[in-house]
């Protein structure tokens, strides 16, 4: 006998979707601090052995983040991420095939405030990455700082996140069998300070390290633009030269992470809060740009490939912007 379950009511679906987004926010805003506090606090309880054993495991396993991490497919396929996908919703769009016999360097733009599109599309299976790109394993780069936090490091590794350093990148890209994709949010934390609705400013003009990395490994470059990424939050006005921007920039230099003052809606009301607006995100993956391998590329060679990447990214934006209600007179701006 076949058992059928009644579909969830719309109000319940909405509550589950909102709860999943709140959980995601907590994961990256509070879970890291909670993990650190728990690790230290356990030493002063009868459960001190838990932290002691974990410390020993941490030391033994210290190289794992830079060796491709340790993804857990059950967590990547967790239903929570599908609810989060549907909250906005988030969609992944393929415009060209990726050959599973090759490795790729993917540039993701823009960063947005919290990079929701990058997380759902490349750290979970909610948007169907493995179905769209069979044989390709995605690795999303994240600040190395987060991999120094006990327990939290294992959580972020489970989704396929790796530290944003050259050692981690090289490990992924040098695998001769291919089928690996290294996704880099090129604008990084600094670009998050310009993330606000209607903004198409990318911190990319002088960001060329990812291009040099692709040339050194001979891996094609894949431009990606995530439409709607900047529309999830409002941000306190912080023009360049203002005291707030100078303070944010200084804190970023000290801590390695930016601190945008953002706000959107609340959990039970729509006036003010830290929960992102329900606005669609559509992440469009462009076609690969072939790159000739060279161990030590010159500045001119890097500049040439970088300019080609900028041109392809602009073309990707211009070809798709009308579908996502972006005015004809709006174009990408590189700073």
């Amino acid at each position: 006998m076949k058992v059928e379950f009644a579909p969830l009511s719309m109000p319940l679906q909405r509550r589950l979707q909102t709860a999943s987004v709140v959980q995601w926010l907590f994961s990256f805003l509070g879970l890291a601090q909670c993990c650190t506090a728990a690790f230290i606090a356990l030493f002063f309880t009868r459960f001190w052995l838990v932290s002691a054993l974990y410390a020993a495991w941490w030391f033994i396993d210290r190289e794992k983040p830079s060796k491709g991490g340790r993804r857990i497919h059950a967590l990547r396929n967790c239903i929570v991420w599908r609810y989060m996908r549907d909250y906005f919703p988030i969609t992944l769009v393929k415009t060209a095939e990726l050959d599973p016999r090759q490795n790729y360097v993917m540039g993701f733009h823009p960063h947005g405030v919290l990079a929701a599109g990058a997380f759902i599309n490349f750290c979970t299976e909610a948007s169907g990455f493995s179905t769209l790109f069979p044989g390709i394993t995605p690795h999303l780069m994240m600040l190395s700082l987060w991999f120094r936090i006990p327990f939290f490091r294992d959580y972020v590794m489970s989704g396929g996140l790796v530290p944003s350093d050259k050692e981690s990148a090289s490990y992924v890209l040098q695998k001769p069998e291919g089928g690996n994709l290294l996704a880099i949010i090129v604008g990084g934390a600094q670009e998050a300070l310009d993330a606000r609705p209607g903004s198409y400013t990318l911190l990319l003009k002088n960001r060329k390290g990812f291009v040099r990395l692709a040339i050194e490994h001979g891996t094609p470059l894949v431009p990606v633009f995530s439409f709607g990424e900047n529309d999830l939050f409002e941000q306190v006005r912080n023009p360049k030269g203002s005291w707030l921007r100078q303070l944010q920039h200084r804190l970023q230099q000290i801590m390695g992470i930016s601190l945008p003052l953002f706000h959107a809606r609340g959990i039970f009301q729509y006036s003010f809060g830290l929960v992102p607006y329900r606005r669609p995100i559509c992440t469009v993956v462009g076609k690969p740009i072939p790159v000739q391998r060279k161990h030590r590329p010159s500045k001119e060679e890097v500049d040439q490939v970088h300019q080609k990447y900028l041109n392809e990214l602009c073309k990707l934006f211009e070809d798709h912007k009308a579908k996502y209600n972006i005015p004809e007179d709006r174009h990408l701006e590189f700073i």
Side-chain angles (χ1 to χ4, degrees), residues 67-133:
K67 302 297 183 183
R70 184 186 300 104
R71 66 184 59 228
I72 300 175
H73 293 287
L75 290 181
R76 285 178 57 89
N77 285 282
C78 181
I79 192 172
V80 170
W81 308 130
R82 296 200 290 275
Y83 283 123
M84 181 177 165
R85 173 202 64 194
D86 295 338
Y87 172 87
F88 296 100
I90 296 175
T91 309
L92 183 63
V93 177
K94 178 176 73 173
T95 63
E97 296 290 342
L98 297 183
D99 187 350
R101 295 170 296 180
Q102 285 190 302
N103 296 318
Y104 296 90
V105 173
M106 173 182 285
F108 182 93
H109 315 273
H111 183 287
V113 171
L114 294 175
F119 177 78
I120 283 294
N121 288 315
F122 306 125
C123 298
T124 81
E125 287 297 331
S127 58
F129 181 91
S130 295
T131 302
L132 286 173
F133 301 103

Side-chain angles (χ1 to χ4, degrees), residues 95-99 102-109 133 141 169 173 180-186 204 207-225 284-293 297 301-313 316:
T95 63
E97 296 290 342
L98 297 183
D99 187 350
Q102 285 190 302
N103 296 318
Y104 296 90
V105 173
M106 173 182 285
F108 182 93
H109 315 273
F133 301 103
M141 301 200 87
L173 297 177
N180 289 284
L181 184 148
L182 185 70
I184 304 173
I185 308 177
V186 182
L204 186 55
R207 296 273 172 121
K208 301 177 183 179
F210 74 106
V211 174
R212 182 177 294 275
L213 182 71
I215 296 175
E216 289 175 349
H217 290 85
T219 54
L221 283 162
V222 182
V224 174
F225 194 86
V284 182
V285 180
K287 64 180 182 180
I289 303 169
V291 174
Q292 187 68 35
R293 183 172 187 174
E301 290 170 325
V302 172
D303 289 344
Q304 183 179 6
V305 177
H306 183 261
Q307 186 58 53
K308 187 174 182 180
Y309 180 87
L310 295 183
N311 294 339
E312 289 296 326
L313 181 61
L316 181 70

